[in-house]
Amino acid sequence: ALVLDPTIIFVTARSVIALMGVATTYLTYRLGRQIFSSERAGLLAAIFLSFSFYHLQLSHVTRHWMPAALAMSVAWLAIFEIYRNASLRAYLLSGFFAGLGVGANTAAASVMIPAIAAHFMRPSEQGLRRQGDSRRLALLGIVFLVVSLSFIVLYPYGLTQGEAAEGGATATLMAKFNNLTQKSLVEWFGFLWYYGRLLLTYETILFIAAIAG
């Protein structure tokens, strides 16, 4: 029956993605409220995201972007906890959800940058050099690697977008990496300008508000 009429699959999948979009908006509200200690800041952050062109678009299509965004949002909440109280739970959750995000989209690995920064930028009164700091940072990295590599081992072609050169996924990944290293500085700036222009075109209000903030 599902082969003849897969409507229920499509509707269910899109409904789940839409709910993930709603959840991401709520997490953005919580993050804004906690960072700025302001209910108003949290609501404004959620409103901006609710009217974001890209957020609305990605909440409409059944692809990997929204699961990655949701996982990164949870990771961001845990990262703020690293900065605020450096609890072991915060480190573990940050690494876990960052790795989970990588399972959906490798771009989610970028959330590890603020995670590490939060560790080193904590207020001095917390005692940056206290015993156990290095262990918690190591645990953050280990949990992230275990979770993210689990997805890669189970489905290596997720990194190659389904493409497979002669030699399998490893050969394809090496070819893609070599292609990146051969790009000139001008080409890299062109790449950044292309996506920066898209951001300015489709997220003009958000872009201006971010600069003003």
Side-chain angles (χ1 to χ4, degrees):
L2 290 177
V3 175
L4 296 176
D5 185 13
T7 303
I8 185 63
I9 297 176
F10 298 148
V11 171
T12 301
R14 292 191 67 178
S15 298
V16 170
I17 292 296
L19 289 174
M20 286 184 175
V22 173
T24 302
T25 304
Y26 170 70
L27 292 173
T28 300
Y29 155 74
R30 283 192 55 185
L31 188 61
R33 185 184 65 180
Q34 290 184 24
I35 290 177
F36 297 100
S37 300
S38 167
E39 188 81 13
R40 181 182 179 184
L43 288 172
L44 284 174
I47 290 170
F48 271 121
L49 186 63
S50 298
F51 289 98
S52 163
F53 171 81
Y54 282 119
H55 183 71
L56 290 172
Q57 181 194 42
L58 300 183
S59 298
H60 275 76
V61 293
T62 308
R63 296 291 302 274
H64 58 291
W65 297 300
M66 194 48 64
L70 180 60
M72 292 177 73
S73 297
V74 178
W76 265 106
L77 281 172
I79 289 167
F80 184 65
E81 287 301 310
I82 290 177
Y83 176 78
R84 188 164 62 176
N85 56 41
S87 66
L88 177 61
R89 177 175 176 270
Y91 282 90
L92 295 176
L93 288 176
S94 297
F96 177 80
F97 281 100
L100 201 63
V102 169
N105 190 333
T106 52
S110 61
V111 82
M112 285 296 289
I113 297 174
I116 295 171
H119 172 83
F120 288 105
M121 295 175 65
R122 286 170 13 225
S124 57
E125 58 266 21
Q126 290 187 15
L128 284 173
R129 301 298 178 186
R130 71 170 181 260
Q131 186 178 8
D133 262 14
S134 57
R135 293 179 186 176
R136 294 185 181 192
L137 185 61
L139 278 173
L140 168 69
I142 291 170
V143 171
F144 168 72
L145 288 174
V146 169
V147 176
S148 57
L149 289 176
S150 296
F151 283 99
I152 294 172
V153 170
L154 290 172
Y155 187 65
Y157 290 106
L159 291 175
T160 65
Q161 298 178 340
E163 301 171 8
E166 185 177 352
T170 302
T172 306
L173 287 174
M174 290 302 297
K176 287 178 176 289
F177 180 76
N178 289 333
N179 183 50
L180 290 175
T181 58
Q182 291 172 6
K183 288 184 179 294
S184 67
L185 188 61
V186 173
E187 288 176 312
W188 276 110
F189 274 114
F191 171 81
L192 294 174
W193 167 248
Y194 172 75
Y195 284 101
R197 187 177 59 186
L198 286 179
L199 179 64
L200 183 59
T201 301
Y202 293 106
E203 303 285 6
T204 307
I205 297 176
L206 185 62
F207 188 79
I208 294 173
I211 294 175

